[in-house]
Amino acid sequence: MADTALQPTGFEEHRVPRSYHTLYAREYPGEGPAFVLMHGFPDNLRIYERLGPVLSSLGRRAICFDFLGYGLSDKPESYNYTTSGLLEDIDAIVAHFKLEQFVPVGHDASGCTAINWALDHKSSVSGVALLNMFYGDSPTLRFPPFVGFFSEPKYRDVQKAMIADLPIFGWLQKFTGNQFCKGGTEQQVADHEGCIASAVREQFMRQPNPAPAFLALTGELLESVRYNTSRTPELARFDKPVSLIWGDRDPYLTIDVARHLRTQFGSARLHELASQGHWPQVDVPETVARHLIEDFPA
């Protein structure tokens, strides 16, 4: 049974200085080390509109934000979007909210960012939480065709043409969404359309839109996986709690990806969410919140 659906309420909005630009963030009040909730691509912070209020209602502080180039954050067209820039986005969030201890929560592509920031700033994190994401190479890792196509540098001219044609790009997004939703319940399909697909469409219909950030970051994807693979020995030496919260119906970042990643950490808890898909924070926010609070008590 799906958890209770909640509307996006109860947060304070922030414009976070980030060099010459600003990030959009929402802060849900609470105590203890904050959960900093990060989105993948081409999503934005709206994937946490259900989880944020649940965490706050249980007494825990939560902060979600749009990476530069996404959602309601600035989208400078001349900016050089890189994976190292994502780490600088976290730096800006930490400085603005004066976070001495927090739990980075990474989903999808931002799982890499969460892990790498934590490896580089162990004293500042209480641990790491990871939701249906990837890091280094894995025997079962495969990307959705939509993302895989945009990660190939040899197709760059075609990619630029496709992302500039909203009907074609929209069809690609819809096709990918249908693949993620295969075998899901009517409620899960409706949640995907209402909470995820609509948010992605809306941000790409605005000007400026996330196209420059999406093209640049997916273009770095394969190199990022190679780099992360070189850092996997560090995972075994990471001495903070690690929580893997995983929808087991994800057709791409499968439960086997989670099980393989668990073996690479010195100690990690894996919560397998039966019959849940790629976005457990949307489908079952109360379940995800319970695991987060259990694994990272105040």
Side-chain angles (χ1 to χ4, degrees):
M1 179 180 296
D3 290 334
T4 304
L6 295 173
Q7 296 302 313
T9 59
F11 55 82
E12 179 181 352
E13 295 181 298
H14 294 256
R15 296 302 306 188
V16 176
R18 200 272 196 219
S19 187
Y20 297 104
H21 312 294
T22 63
L23 305 175
Y24 173 72
R26 294 175 177 177
E27 179 183 17
Y28 296 88
E31 303 298 326
F35 293 107
V36 175
L37 312 172
M38 295 180 284
H39 65 85
F41 312 122
D43 298 340
N44 55 46
L45 65 69
R46 285 189 56 190
I47 64 173
Y48 293 108
E49 287 182 340
R50 295 183 177 184
L51 180 59
V54 174
L55 287 168
S56 186
S57 72
L58 296 172
R60 291 301 295 273
R61 186 184 185 196
I63 297 165
C64 56
F65 70 97
D66 290 321
F67 283 105
L68 195 68
Y70 285 89
L72 297 179
S73 288
D74 288 351
K75 302 174 185 63
E77 295 186 18
S78 60
Y79 178 79
N80 183 27
Y81 293 96
T82 63
T83 52
S84 61
L86 302 177
L87 298 171
E88 294 173 9
D89 289 354
I90 301 180
D91 292 340
I93 294 295
V94 170
H96 178 81
F97 290 100
K98 298 179 174 58
L99 301 176
E100 295 181 359
Q101 283 284 305
F102 72 100
V103 179
V105 180
H107 174 254
D108 195 81
S110 70
C112 306
T113 308
I115 290 176
N116 287 335
W117 201 95
L119 290 177
D120 295 335
H121 304 83
K122 290 182 183 179
S123 63
S124 297
V125 299
S126 300
V128 180
L130 305 166
L131 316 177
N132 287 71
M133 47 71 69
F134 62 92
Y135 187 64
D137 195 19
S138 168
T140 60
L141 177 63
R142 68 188 186 103
F143 297 109
F146 172 75
V147 173
F149 171 74
F150 281 97
S151 72
E152 288 288 350
K154 62 185 176 182
Y155 300 132
R156 185 58 70 201
D157 289 342
V158 178
Q159 294 163 0
K160 290 179 179 178
M162 293 177 73
I163 204 169
D165 190 317
L166 286 179
I168 292 178
F169 190 61
W171 181 89
L172 284 171
Q173 290 177 316
K174 185 174 182 180
F175 172 81
T176 302
N178 290 339
Q179 297 300 109
F180 273 116
C181 291
K182 276 185 177 179
T185 65
E186 289 185 11
Q187 184 61 55
Q188 288 169 337
V189 172
D191 285 342
H192 178 271
E193 173 58 31
C195 301
I196 301 159
S198 63
V200 172
R201 282 196 303 269
E202 287 170 11
Q203 67 176 351
F204 275 93
M205 290 175 67
R206 301 191 192 104
Q207 291 297 334
N209 68 35
F214 179 74
L215 283 172
L217 292 169
T218 52
E220 280 194 1
L221 180 63
L222 301 180
E223 178 56 36
S224 174
V225 170
R226 285 191 287 269
Y227 170 74
N228 294 337
T229 301
S230 74
R231 298 196 70 173
T232 52
E234 297 179 59
L235 303 185
R237 299 191 294 271
F238 186 71
D239 58 359
K240 299 292 181 75
V242 177
S243 180
L244 306 174
I245 305 174
W246 222 271
D248 72 354
R249 198 179 47 77
D250 190 328
Y252 298 107
L253 303 181
T254 66
I255 195 65
D256 286 333
V257 173
R259 291 167 180 165
H260 179 260
L261 186 60
R262 179 181 58 180
T263 67
Q264 295 180 313
F265 280 102
S267 99
R269 297 186 66 182
L270 172 57
H271 305 279
E272 301 186 15
L273 308 185
S275 302
Q276 303 305 320
H278 182 68
W279 291 271
Q281 67 271 57
V282 172
D283 293 337
V284 284
E286 292 173 357
T287 300
V288 172
R290 184 177 71 250
H291 289 314
L292 286 173
I293 291 173
E294 288 174 351
D295 290 350
F296 306 98

